[in-house]
Amino acid sequence: MNLALLQIANVPNFNYLEQYLKTCQKQQVSLLCFPEYVFEPFFTSLKTLSSATLLSRANFKNLQMLGSLSAQYNINFLTPIIVNNEVLLQHRVWGKLSNTKGLYKTIALIRGTEKIEFYLPQCLIGFEHWNERAFFDNKKARSARLPLTFEQDALKIGVLSGFELHFDEIFIRIKKEAYDMLIVPCANTFDTHARWRSLCKMRAFLNSCALLRINRVGNELVDGSTWNFYGDSLYINAYGKIEDSLQEYEGLMIVHVSKSEITQARESWGFYKEF
């Protein structure tokens, strides 16, 4: 299976995307993944929005355009995106909705013009300087549940938000399901480069699965300070080894994922055998 990630700060328009889509089509890419906060302003700017409904409807149009491009190029898309329950109620949702009219942080899987599924991250950042938990309407799960799950090119794939990599409770559920690959869109900043590399390698190795981490690039001015999103998107194989990475600039990474290599790693280490 060939898949790609696009390390980018934002999507200025869909004509801009097409240069990357043509490259993906030539390389027979079947899935293209985006980082967080590329179809809307960064989280800290969302708090000053005059209308959550207008943002959600704008992103619904973005989803429709992605559906059209998915059908045109025969490429599925995976992208974090902010919408309200007016949009979510029309589609399959991995997670529980509330009855409020606020915004949800989601990850959308787009397969052509007719099929969109949404994952509601079950753990959101709740720090004082970055409190998504208090802003978004995502319900905190009473117990860990499975991520968005789908099959493509004989691979069983799970989708999590980057912050959810920290929680063992989720990975107890994941390990029982024997995923071939985990895809993790992020928006990582500050001096966390080495820590994220270690975390991603550990999760891939202990779960005997490939892992694709997609981080954004660019800068955001927050309360007078510049937050730098440093990129370093990674492809890690099922042995926990980084096979490819991007630096701090915009770019497209195309990787080939081998089912047989994942199976071999799982059998070699035996982490899925009874304890």
Side-chain angles (χ1 to χ4, degrees):
M1 171 186 178
N2 288 343
L3 57 84
L5 63 85
L6 183 56
Q7 181 172 282
I8 196 170
N10 57 67
V11 178
N13 56 66
F14 285 96
N15 290 333
Y16 188 77
L17 270 187
E18 293 212 53
Q19 60 176 316
Y20 291 111
L21 292 175
K22 290 174 182 177
T23 299
C24 289
Q25 189 178 50
K26 290 178 182 177
Q27 297 295 321
Q28 297 182 317
V29 166
S30 57
L31 179 67
L32 175 62
C33 309
F34 296 87
E36 293 184 340
Y37 297 111
V38 295
F39 287 102
E40 61 274 314
F42 180 60
F43 163 70
T44 51
S45 298
L46 293 178
K47 294 186 290 185
T48 62
L49 280 178
S50 58
S51 173
T53 301
L54 289 179
L55 172 64
S56 181
R57 289 178 178 173
N59 270 345
F60 180 61
K61 291 181 180 179
N62 288 333
L63 289 167
Q64 289 179 313
M65 180 59 71
L66 286 171
S68 297
L69 291 173
S70 173
Q72 178 183 345
Y73 286 94
N74 194 29
I75 298 172
N76 296 335
F77 298 115
L78 188 70
T79 184
I81 198 159
I82 309 301
V83 293
N84 64 12
N85 59 6
E86 178 184 1
V87 174
L88 294 173
L89 288 170
Q90 303 177 46
H91 302 279
R92 183 182 181 186
V93 177
W94 295 71
K96 292 185 177 181
L97 298 173
S98 65
N99 294 321
T100 59
K101 296 183 179 181
L103 294 171
Y104 290 84
K105 185 176 184 181
T106 81
I107 305 174
L109 174 64
I110 302 139
R111 293 182 278 189
T113 56
E114 300 298 327
K115 191 168 184 181
I116 302 177
E117 298 180 52
F118 292 92
Y119 173 64
L120 302 183
Q122 49 201 306
C123 297
L124 297 182
I125 295 173
F127 303 128
E128 184 177 348
H129 65 288
W130 188 341
N131 197 344
E132 295 180 345
R133 188 187 304 161
F135 179 79
F136 292 113
D137 280 5
N138 298 52
K139 279 189 172 183
K140 181 173 174 56
R142 292 184 179 180
S143 59
R145 51 183 167 79
L146 290 176
L148 189 157
T149 304
F150 66 103
E151 289 194 7
Q152 185 153 334
D153 300 336
L155 293 176
K156 183 176 182 178
I157 300 173
V159 182
L160 293 166
S161 70
F163 187 62
E164 291 178 310
L165 280 183
H166 295 90
F167 297 94
D168 290 338
E169 294 86 350
I170 296 175
F171 278 86
I172 290 171
R173 294 292 311 275
I174 283 175
K175 193 167 186 178
K176 294 177 181 178
E177 297 294 320
Y179 287 92
D180 297 309
M181 185 172 195
L182 296 175
I183 300 178
V184 187
C186 299
N188 302 144
T189 184
F190 308 126
D191 188 22
T192 61
H193 181 280
R195 173 157 50 89
W196 274 99
R197 282 196 160 210
S198 297
L199 178 61
C200 291
K201 289 193 292 182
M202 179 269 289
R203 290 302 187 195
F205 176 61
L206 293 184
N207 290 278
S208 298
C209 66
L211 189 146
L212 191 72
R213 174 259 193 138
I214 311 107
N215 191 23
R216 74 188 294 255
V217 292
N219 298 312
E220 298 286 346
L221 187 64
V222 181
D223 295 330
S225 299
T226 300
W227 291 15
N228 174 48
F229 296 88
Y230 54 80
D232 193 42
S233 298
L234 306 168
Y235 171 58
I236 303 170
N237 67 23
Y239 292 95
K241 178 182 178 182
I242 296 174
E243 289 199 359
D244 202 357
S245 64
L246 294 175
Q247 297 180 347
E248 69 270 27
Y249 307 108
E250 178 178 322
L252 180 73
M253 179 195 295
I254 297 175
V255 300
H256 177 73
V257 184
S258 169
K259 172 81 171 183
S260 61
E261 182 183 272
I262 294 166
T263 301
Q264 185 180 39
R266 186 167 295 151
E267 292 175 350
S268 296
W269 286 99
F271 294 148
Y272 279 79
K273 296 178 181 178
E274 289 187 22
F275 180 71

